[in-house]
Amino acid sequence: MTVSARKRILVTGGAGYIGSNTTLQLLDAGYDVVVVDNLSRGHREAVDPARLRVVNLLDTEGLVRVMSEAPVDAVIHFAAYIAVGESMKVPELYFHNNVAGSLSLFTAMIRTGIKKLVFSSTAAVYGMPERVPILETEPYAPVNAYGESKVMVEKMLQWFDQIHGLRSICLRYFNAAGADPAGRVGESHEPETHLIPLLFRAVRTGVPVTLFGDDYATPDGTCIRDYVHVTDLASAHILAVEALSAGRPSAGYNAGTGRGFSVKEVLQAVEEVVGCAVPHSIGPRREGDPPLLVANSDRLQQDLAWVPRYSDITTIVKTGWAWELRKN
Ligand code: UFG
């Protein structure tokens, strides 16, 4: 994929996990990229300094200045807080940063005439769906403030389309995992709450990881999730930008593989890759964990010709483990 006119894409949250992977893929594909990140949770070293603008999303004037440096073709909006547990302790943080921050961004886009947006949404907009694999027609029913903050932005975008003609594609990620196969960027959350990096940490440190419940109504009693490789998620964003450029109307798409893995199956995959046992114990359920979350992503595959190439569990774990070793 090459871009003849070197279209400029503004990436918010480009110093974060999925944002930094997508930025590299955009550059590989020939796009020009400018990253806006306040570095509150992202990593400065994940972005080429010449491309980084340290601006807070709530600073509308600052965003307008970045957007006015050179014509921006589209925005990919990753910047957000993502910790479900934290969102249930300090929801104000989530509504302030994720909702008010997005509103500020869209305001700056309207002021500078940018009318294409790809938005990082989440499976958490569906809450605890009864029908699995989950279709995009499933109603919004978030069960935490994080998911609600994403629903609010998705709804805001529908009005911005209707009133201002700002077209958007919302990608509802399932469980993002793995690292850049070339080893350039990967996952580094602080504090880390995600299963796969915590399994790696247990291997490295010998401190057991707790599996949250083994009494769910699933075949082995542990929760099932749809793990999707970050490189495949990145490619979905590029396809979304291309689709908007080709005139596709606003839409929301699930980004997952349609195949679920239980916590114990993931643990086993990690053991196979690292070649030793993962120290672990079984603890109580974590509040708010749905037993089964698997995407139906047919629409993304059909409409945008998205093909996940790296999302088999072994590739996810291998690339993630290589990053874990490099990082430490
Ligand atoms: N888990 C453990 N032990 C841990 C951490 C996780 O057993 O120490 C289990 C969880 O209970 C869950 C599975 O591993 O069953 C995956 O948990 P993660 O925290 O890695 O991911 P979640 O499925 O909870 O959350 C992900 C995204 C969220 C998003 C959500 C959508 O990280 O941002 O999917 O439902 F909101």
Side-chain angles (χ1 to χ4, degrees), residues 86-249:
E86 181 185 56
S87 83
M88 295 303 279
K89 294 198 182 89
V90 270
E92 56 275 25
L93 212 58
Y94 281 70
F95 295 118
H96 190 63
N97 190 55
N98 296 6
V99 182
S102 296
L103 178 57
S104 166
L105 174 72
F106 305 157
T107 304
M109 289 175 68
I110 297 307
R111 276 180 47 192
T112 53
I114 304 169
K115 298 286 182 74
K116 293 183 279 247
L117 177 90
V118 182
F119 175 58
S120 285
S121 192
T122 169
V125 301
Y126 299 116
M128 306 242 185
E130 278 169 20
R131 288 175 292 268
V132 179
I134 303 165
L135 286 163
E136 287 86 351
T137 46
E138 194 68 22
Y140 292 134
V143 292
N144 50 61
Y146 165 69
E148 184 71 60
S149 75
K150 294 287 180 175
V151 170
M152 289 168 112
V153 177
E154 287 205 11
K155 285 188 174 173
M156 210 151 64
L157 282 169
Q158 292 166 11
W159 293 106
F160 273 83
D161 185 350
Q162 189 176 320
I163 297 163
H164 290 301
L166 193 169
R167 280 177 300 121
S168 60
I169 288 182
C170 299
L171 295 174
R172 299 180 192 137
Y173 313 149
F174 281 64
N175 287 65
D180 174 38
R184 297 169 293 181
V185 283
E187 190 166 13
S188 304
H189 296 115
E190 197 45 61
E192 188 54 78
T193 61
H194 295 109
L195 177 64
I196 295 176
L198 289 175
L199 293 169
F200 292 152
R201 187 179 296 179
V203 171
R204 274 196 304 106
T205 63
V207 179
V209 59
T210 305
L211 310 191
F212 296 141
D214 66 351
D215 58 351
Y216 286 94
T218 58
D220 66 17
T222 63
C223 289
I224 295 173
R225 293 289 179 273
D226 185 338
Y227 295 88
V228 52
H229 197 285
V230 67
T231 301
D232 288 330
L233 281 182
S235 75
H237 291 79
I238 298 181
L239 292 169
V241 165
E242 288 173 351
L244 289 170
S245 292
R248 189 166 272 286

Side-chain angles (χ1 to χ4, degrees), residues 246-269:
R248 189 166 272 286
S250 295
Y253 291 105
N254 290 338
T257 66
R259 166 89 163 86
F261 287 87
S262 73
V263 170
K264 283 187 178 165
E265 285 174 328
V266 174
L267 181 139
Q268 197 185 340

